Amino acid sequence: MCGFVGCFDLNSGSMPINEGLKEELRNQVLEMSKKIRHRGPDWSGVYTGENAILSHERLSIVDPLSGKQPLISDDGKIILAANGEIYNHKEIRKEFEGKYNFKTFSDCEVIIPLYKTYGKDFIEKLSGIFAFALYDSDKDVYLVARDEIGVIPLYQGWDKAGRYYVASELKALEGNCQTIEEFPNGYYFYSKDDKPIRWYFRDWEVYGKVKSNPKACDERGQIINPVVIDKLRNGLENAVKQQLMSDVPYGVLLSGGLDSSIIAAITQKFSKKRIESDSKEAAWWPQLHSFAVGLEGSPDLIAAKKAADYIGTVHHEVHFTIQEALDALPDVIYHIETYDITTVRASTPMYLLARVIKSMGIKMVLSGEGSDELFGGYLYFHKAPNAQEFHEELVRKMSKLHLYDCLRANKSLMAWGVEGRVPFLDKEFIDIAMNLNPCDKMNIKMPDGSQRMEKWILRKAFEDMLPESICWRQKEQFSDGVGYNWIDTLKKMTEEKVSDAEFARRENRFPVNPPKTKEEYYYREIYSRLFPSDSAAKVVPHEAGVACSTAKALEWDAAWKNMDEPSGRAIAGVHSQAY
């Protein structure tokens, strides 16, 4: 995973491009690229052409010696800057044996022969997490694309002369572009087209395969076809195995929750050997290392230790204090580029954890993001009125991952040059999970009056790999699990720091997305100092919710009508420590 900045349409200005202006733009792009060097501290590269400039900051995970970017085709005509990982690159390379002269062992280089062979219509062939900018100097066209879920961040902007820019983080564009937008996930932009085109489509986005009422779901009980559970388990194991592709030491994030514990257990199963080599070569590290973060005595630290002891990882606890976390808030907001309450709360401990991970020489970690969106793991899903609404909320949550959990996981870790991989969001596994009957995922009521636990089918699929107390641990949102006092302190501190008078004038102070709470106001003040443009403010999502729900799901419970609290403890009668 890396970072890049691209500047295209150099001739869009009122004056024809000349060597002096080209040099000026090149220097500008280099300065923009420096702002995201934390994403790629291992190497910097730049390409300057007649109508494009591409600058790349590299974090070397695969092929550290020869995989520096921008990558250039064997005929010198195609230039590529890419961020992310192409997990099926070996299979793609086989397709081009004897047809294309690869210059590196980089997984991203396969994008070049795919483009040369199929033009712009090759992206569905990629299995991975990615954002890239490709320039075809022979045709003077460029192609920009982003992965289906938006695991990898990408932004686009236009300067006052009409030149088009893309960058891995917003901060590279702020101050240089008049208009800034997030580049849409699952889309590509080919410069001969008028606008970005969607390349990722799936049947599960239009609900219609299963229409059932609560009674129909109740009748299914806890009986689920074993073949379905096996398919689920095999699909996730395949995703983890594929994502262990690495030429550097890696580890796992382990909060002690169900999702991270499953990923850690599967990783341990495969970690003894180098997965990406078809040999018996030993892994880079003789043992798998796991990492947990929290306040002293927090729920996550206690649970993570139990999980690690059972799985057999070399476990590391990172303790932080409230004051350390508060001191880090400006840096966190600078790196994650959002003032969203949920994201700030959860990103701060992850940011502190990433620094320790990097200090130990680990450059890649696997994490459990995406499971709650695939299986309805958030506690508010207990109130879903029927299977159709349950599924439609999953689709809404999946469509917003790039704004929240993916953004947090990527930018909090990449602030220190640590790559995060998310096996639950493997394209093939998403198709498996999202095509399950929603009744098999719902928190349905049982004949004895009890309610099935969230993510029950996932727990059943992996219960033999985890201790019982971890497998059946209640969902705990990350910002809660690191220690309840963290959120409670943030709410108390921001209530004191933001006066009633300031908050009353919030619409005058912030006419774009006025803060809904004093906590959001506090984060917005920091954000606006770092990213003062209206474009930057509009990039951040802004909707009400409860326990990480979408605004639409607030209709499920009348008690939520006037609530706007992302903590899982807001779900009274469900969370064991509800407010």
Side-chain angles (χ1 to χ4, degrees):
M1 206 169 292
C2 313
F4 65 84
V5 175
C7 176
F8 302 98
D9 303 328
L10 303 190
N11 289 296
S12 291
S14 58
M15 296 177 59
I17 194 76
N18 56 52
E19 290 305 312
L21 181 55
K22 188 189 296 183
E23 184 66 19
E24 182 181 328
L25 288 171
R26 184 181 188 275
N27 290 336
Q28 175 186 299
V29 169
L30 288 174
E31 288 301 313
M32 296 165 71
S33 193
K34 284 181 184 178
K35 294 181 180 180
I36 58 172
R37 189 156 291 166
H38 51 274
R39 297 186 66 87
D42 297 336
W43 197 263
S44 299
V46 63
Y47 162 84
T48 306
E50 289 306 308
N51 204 24
I53 301 171
L54 287 169
S55 180
H56 190 271
E57 307 294 340
R58 187 177 187 224
L59 178 67
S60 52
I61 303 293
V62 176
D63 187 20
L65 295 180
S66 69
K68 61 185 180 181
Q69 296 191 38
L71 295 161
I72 300 177
S73 62
D74 54 359
D75 59 8
K77 295 180 179 179
I78 298 171
I79 299 88
L80 172 71
N83 175 14
E85 305 291 343
I86 308 302
Y87 298 127
N88 62 336
H89 74 106
K90 287 202 167 186
E91 291 84 351
I92 295 173
R93 279 175 179 264
K94 289 177 182 178
E95 177 185 343
F96 294 102
E97 284 181 0
K99 302 176 185 177
Y100 180 81
N101 180 31
F102 285 96
K103 298 169 69 174
T104 75
F105 295 104
S106 167
D107 55 294
C108 292
E109 191 180 3
V110 299
I111 292 172
I112 295 176
L114 283 170
Y115 169 79
K116 293 185 74 170
T117 304
Y118 302 102
K120 62 184 180 180
D121 300 317
F122 69 86
I123 304 174
E124 183 66 65
K125 295 179 181 292
L126 301 176
S127 177
I129 51 176
F130 56 84
F132 67 79
L134 179 150
Y135 179 60
D136 185 335
S137 61
D138 191 41
K139 298 178 181 178
D140 190 25
V141 295
Y142 52 88
L143 175 66
V144 180
R146 189 180 182 194
D147 71 69
E148 59 272 12
I149 299 300
V151 175
I152 303 299
L154 186 63
Y155 298 85
Q156 59 185 352
W158 295 262
D159 69 11
K160 59 185 178 182
R163 299 183 188 91
Y164 178 63
Y165 294 78
V166 290
S168 298
E169 293 188 2
L170 181 152
K171 60 179 62 67
L173 303 180
E174 178 75 353
N176 294 289
C177 292
Q178 304 293 101
T179 305
I180 301 171
E181 299 173 355
E182 184 186 22
F183 190 93
N185 53 296
Y187 280 69
Y188 70 80
F189 177 51
Y190 187 57
S191 57
K192 287 190 175 181
D193 298 331
D194 294 331
K195 59 184 179 180
I197 306 296
R198 189 176 184 185
W199 65 265
Y200 181 72
F201 292 91
R202 286 299 184 270
D203 288 342
W204 50 260
E205 292 189 281
V206 181
Y207 183 78
K209 290 187 176 181
V210 180
K211 290 186 181 292
S212 55
N213 55 46
K215 263 190 180 178
C217 282
D218 288 346
E219 288 166 3
R220 293 178 71 89
Q222 299 200 31
I223 301 171
I224 296 177
N225 190 333
V227 174
V228 174
I229 292 180
D230 288 344
K231 185 177 182 180
L232 196 66
R233 177 168 174 143
N234 293 335
L236 188 57
E237 288 192 351
N238 289 337
V240 171
K241 185 177 181 180
Q242 183 175 240
Q243 296 191 22
L244 291 178
M245 174 185 80
S246 175
D247 290 330
V248 297
Y250 59 80
V252 291
L253 302 184
L254 182 57
S255 69
L258 176 70
D259 309 327
S260 65
S261 298
I262 288 174
I263 298 301
I266 299 173
T267 304
Q268 178 73 312
K269 176 179 177 178
F270 295 121
S271 65
K272 303 301 181 185
K273 302 295 179 183
R274 290 275 301 276
I275 297 300
E276 70 284 0
S277 63
D278 298 322
S279 67
K280 296 182 179 180
E281 187 178 355
W284 277 102
W285 282 53
Q287 297 182 73
L288 179 64
H289 290 242
S290 57
F291 299 87
V293 64
L295 301 172
E296 192 81 46
S298 70
D300 276 3
L301 290 181
I302 295 169
K305 181 67 166 60
K306 290 179 182 177
D309 288 346
Y310 189 90
I311 295 167
T313 60
V314 179
H315 190 58
H316 308 275
E317 285 189 359
V318 176
H319 299 152
F320 71 92
T321 66
I322 294 289
Q323 190 59 55
E324 287 170 336
L326 293 175
D327 291 342
L329 279 174
D331 288 336
V332 170
I333 291 172
Y334 174 74
H335 280 287
I336 65 175
E337 303 177 322
T338 183
Y339 47 84
D340 171 68
I341 291 177
T342 312
T343 310
V344 174
R345 288 177 177 180
S347 294
T348 305
M350 184 172 269
Y351 171 86
L352 298 172
L353 175 63
R355 190 172 193 177
V356 175
I357 292 172
K358 185 60 179 289
S359 74
M360 295 184 63
I362 288 181
K363 299 172 75 173
M364 184 272 279
V365 291
L366 283 80
S367 187
E369 273 75 22
S371 173
D372 291 314
E373 288 74 15
L374 288 171
F375 295 96
Y378 294 108
L379 297 185
Y380 75 90
F381 275 99
H382 281 261
K383 301 292 183 75
N386 55 57
Q388 182 167 342
E389 291 208 34
F390 181 96
H391 181 81
E392 289 175 351
E393 175 71 359
L394 292 184
V395 174
R396 286 190 291 270
K397 289 294 293 180
M398 291 294 293
S399 72
K400 295 174 183 291
L401 266 170
H402 63 104
L403 299 170
Y404 300 104
D405 289 40
C406 288
L407 180 151
R408 166 183 52 79
N410 182 276
K411 292 182 181 178
S412 298
L413 294 170
M414 289 299 286
W416 299 105
V418 177
E419 176 179 293
R421 296 186 184 174
V422 283
F424 278 108
L425 296 178
D426 170 80
K427 187 166 61 176
E428 286 72 27
F429 184 72
I430 289 174
D431 289 343
I432 292 172
M434 289 298 285
N435 280 296
L436 288 173
N437 188 318
C439 291
D440 291 343
K441 295 194 268 188
M442 287 186 72
N443 318 110
I444 62 175
K445 288 186 177 180
M446 307 309 299
D448 63 0
S450 63
Q451 195 167 21
R452 196 162 70 184
M453 200 170 199
E454 65 276 357
K455 295 184 286 195
W456 183 88
I457 189 172
L458 186 63
R459 297 174 193 274
K460 291 298 292 183
F462 291 96
E463 63 181 343
D464 64 321
M465 297 182 72
L466 302 173
E468 184 178 4
S469 62
I470 299 300
C471 185
W472 298 99
R473 182 188 177 199
Q474 185 180 54
K475 164 66 184 174
E476 192 76 88
Q477 289 170 207
F478 182 62
S479 53
D480 286 325
V482 296
Y484 299 135
N485 198 33
W486 167 232
I487 290 179
D488 294 344
T489 299
L490 284 174
K491 294 171 73 172
K492 182 176 183 295
M493 182 270 289
T494 54
E495 183 68 31
E496 295 170 352
K497 292 277 188 181
V498 179
S499 70
D500 292 341
E502 286 177 313
F503 190 66
R505 295 192 299 269
R506 60 190 181 279
E507 293 188 5
N508 296 324
R509 175 72 179 87
F510 301 111
V512 175
N513 294 347
K516 299 185 293 293
T517 66
K518 286 189 175 182
E519 185 178 357
E520 185 183 359
Y521 188 106
Y522 183 83
Y523 302 150
R524 182 66 178 278
E525 281 280 16
I526 298 172
Y527 182 88
S528 64
R529 292 196 297 268
L530 298 167
F531 310 106
S533 71
D534 285 348
S535 280
K538 291 176 181 176
V539 165
V540 178
H542 197 252
E543 71 171 325
V546 59
C548 292
S549 76
T550 68
K552 177 69 175 174
L554 292 177
E555 299 172 4
W556 293 354
D557 192 321
W560 299 346
K561 185 177 181 181
N562 297 312
M563 290 185 69
D564 187 15
E565 173 51 59
S567 170
R569 288 182 289 161
I571 307 300
V574 178
H575 195 288
S576 60
Q577 301 293 322
Y579 292 124

